């Protein structure tokens, strides 16, 4: 696991709190219904006692057949649901409450960790690295198109404003339709034009909808994670888990591709990551300061052709937004 024992315990404490809170909600609902509709209390007691008694008799080789008991219980459950709906309650009002119905707030499904736990680990690491504070600022609600010029630059067919407006719409659509269509995106253009900001917007939106998202700068990805896991250059046990997440998370974001030292190892790892994720229909967002010609020259044909064929490619252009924001902060 990516965590040390103390960090693991901290996350599991959250699961324990969910269980306690949800059991409290269940008890409050039962108290409410039992007081208002005492017949439901009688039904629940009858079902519980009949099932216990039937099991006891069966173990002694006597008494009612379990199938007969189950049929009577189904009739009682139907009566219970009718009482609930006729009094304005949903039929599942008294059923167990779970924050995550997949693992039922245990963090595990069978012998594997639940997707909610995996995301809890990633979110915990984001918090530890202060990335959670970045995402609190860099999200769709705070993306400001006003920094992009509405004047033509004489080079591109659309103004920087119109171009960025289109990219923003596509990124928003990407998150809204993620479960249905998935896909991959490549953001390229000069530094300071909002590529990382928009990548963080996508990360925040998908994290908020309980998807597993892993953000990696290209330098950290290859120098630390890949080298650590594959070439054993890092004995941190969490490195291997991070490496595995590169292939399994719902969305992988590789920021600043091209800033890493390119060699045969990096090229091989990049190809393996991209190819495996495409084969498994896992989505990836890549940002780079390289233009398409430089991207093609820097990486092998099997990498560049896969990116150009499988990724929606968006060109960021205009004035340096980062500098404009900084000037605005100084002036204020």
């Amino acid at each position: 696991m990516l965590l040390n024992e103390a960090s693991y315990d901290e996350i599991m404490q959250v699961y324990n709190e969910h269980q306690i809170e949800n059991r409290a909600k269940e008890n409050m609902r039962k108290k409410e219904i039992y007081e208002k509709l005492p017949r439901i209390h009688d039904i629940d007691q009858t079902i519980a006692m009949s099932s216990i008694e039937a099991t006891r008799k069966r173990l002694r080789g006597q008494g009612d057949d379990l199938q007969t008991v189950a049929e009577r219980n189904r009739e009682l459950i139907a009566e219970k649901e009718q009482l609930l709906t006729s009094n304005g309650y949903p039929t599942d009002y008294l059923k167990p409450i779970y924050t995550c119905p997949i693992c039922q707030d245990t963090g595990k499904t069978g012998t594997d960790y639940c997707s909610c736990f995996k995301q809890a680990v990633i979110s915990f690491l984001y918090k530890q690295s202060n990335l959670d504070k970045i995402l609190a600022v860099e999200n769709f609600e705070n993306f400001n198109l006003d920094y992009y010029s509405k004047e033509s630059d004489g080079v591109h067919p659309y103004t920087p404003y119109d171009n960025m407006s289109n990219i923003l719409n596509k990124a928003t659509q990407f998150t809204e339709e993620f479960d249905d269509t998935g896909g991959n995106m490549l953001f390229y253009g000069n530094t300071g034009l909002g590529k990382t900001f928009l990548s963080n917007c996508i990360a925040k939106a998908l994290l908020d909808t309980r998807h597993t998202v892993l953000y990696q700068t290209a330098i950290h990805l290859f120098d630390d994670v890949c080298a650590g896991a594959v070439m054993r250059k890092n004995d941190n046990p969490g490195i291997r888990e991070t490496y595995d997440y590169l292939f399994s998370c719902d969305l992988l974001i590789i920021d600043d591709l091209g800033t890493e030292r390119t060699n045969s190892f990096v090229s091989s790892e990049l190809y393996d990551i991209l190819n495996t994720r495409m084969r498994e229909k896992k989505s990836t967002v890549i940002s780079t300061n390289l233009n398409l010609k430089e991207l093609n020259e820097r990486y092998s044909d099997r990498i560049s052709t896969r990116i150009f064929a499988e990724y929606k490619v968006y060109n960021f252009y205009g004035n340096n937004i980062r500098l404009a924001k900084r000037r605005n902060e100084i002036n204020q």
Side-chain angles (χ1 to χ4, degrees), residues 6 11 42 48 70 109 226 233 319 329:
I11 290 180
D42 295 340
T109 53
C226 292
K233 288 188 175 181
N319 295 323
E329 291 171 358

Side-chain angles (χ1 to χ4, degrees), residues 173-184:
Q173 183 180 10
F174 174 78
T175 61
E176 292 173 347
E177 300 177 356
F178 188 80
D179 289 327
D180 296 323
T181 59
N184 308 289

Side-chain angles (χ1 to χ4, degrees), residues 1-3 125 214 216 220-247:
M1 186 51 52
L2 291 170
L3 309 168
L125 296 176
L214 184 59
Q216 296 282 298
H220 178 68
L221 170 62
F222 297 111
D223 287 1
D224 297 328
V225 178
C226 292
V230 178
M231 302 178 71
R232 310 293 184 187
K233 288 188 175 181
N234 191 320
D235 59 2
N236 183 343
I239 287 293
R240 182 70 214 187
E241 189 73 15
T242 304
Y243 184 77
D244 291 341
Y245 276 12
L246 296 174
F247 302 92

Side-chain angles (χ1 to χ4, degrees), residues 262-280:
T262 305
N263 51 42
S264 58
F265 171 76
V266 168
S267 295
S268 175
E269 286 300 299
L270 178 59
Y271 173 80
D272 190 25
I273 292 167
L274 299 186
N275 190 56
T276 301
R277 291 187 63 81
M278 282 186 277
R279 188 177 64 245
E280 299 296 326

Side-chain angles (χ1 to χ4, degrees), residues 115-289:
S115 59
C116 72
F117 187 88
K118 292 175 181 179
Q119 187 54 61
V121 172
I122 294 173
S123 298
F124 182 86
L125 296 176
Y126 279 1
K127 184 177 180 180
Q128 295 296 97
S129 64
N130 290 322
L131 189 57
D132 63 323
K133 295 180 180 178
I134 295 174
L135 297 183
V137 175
E138 297 189 1
N139 53 65
F140 284 124
E141 291 184 2
N142 293 330
F143 198 98
N144 190 351
L145 286 169
D146 292 340
Y147 285 103
Y148 296 87
S149 173
K150 295 183 179 180
E151 300 294 327
S152 173
D153 60 7
V155 177
H156 299 94
Y158 302 104
T159 67
Y161 178 92
D162 289 338
N163 178 62
M164 198 62 234
S165 179
N166 175 62
I167 296 175
L168 180 60
N169 288 336
K170 295 297 184 181
T172 304
Q173 183 180 10
F174 174 78
T175 61
E176 292 173 347
E177 300 177 356
F178 188 80
D179 289 327
D180 296 323
T181 59
N184 308 289
M185 306 179 82
L186 172 69
F187 300 154
Y188 78 97
N190 292 333
T191 185
L193 291 174
K195 299 185 299 296
T196 298
F197 194 116
L198 191 58
S199 297
N200 287 336
C201 292
I202 293 171
K204 178 68 164 57
L206 291 178
L207 285 168
D208 287 347
T209 51
R210 300 177 66 82
H211 292 88
T212 52
V213 180
L214 184 59
Y215 171 98
Q216 296 282 298
T217 63
I219 291 177
H220 178 68
L221 170 62
F222 297 111
D223 287 1
D224 297 328
V225 178
C226 292
V230 178
M231 302 178 71
R232 310 293 184 187
K233 288 188 175 181
N234 191 320
D235 59 2
N236 183 343
I239 287 293
R240 182 70 214 187
E241 189 73 15
T242 304
Y243 184 77
D244 291 341
Y245 276 12
L246 296 174
F247 302 92
S248 64
C249 63
D250 295 330
L251 175 69
L252 172 65
I253 297 175
I254 304 176
D255 196 23
D256 278 340
L257 184 68
T259 55
E260 76 286 352
R261 292 171 293 180
T262 305
N263 51 42
S264 58
F265 171 76
V266 168
S267 295
S268 175
E269 286 300 299
L270 178 59
Y271 173 80
D272 190 25
I273 292 167
L274 299 186
N275 190 56
T276 301
R277 291 187 63 81
M278 282 186 277
R279 188 177 64 245
E280 299 296 326
K281 299 190 184 309
K282 297 290 187 179
S283 297
T284 307
V285 172
I286 298 174
S287 72
T288 180
N289 294 337

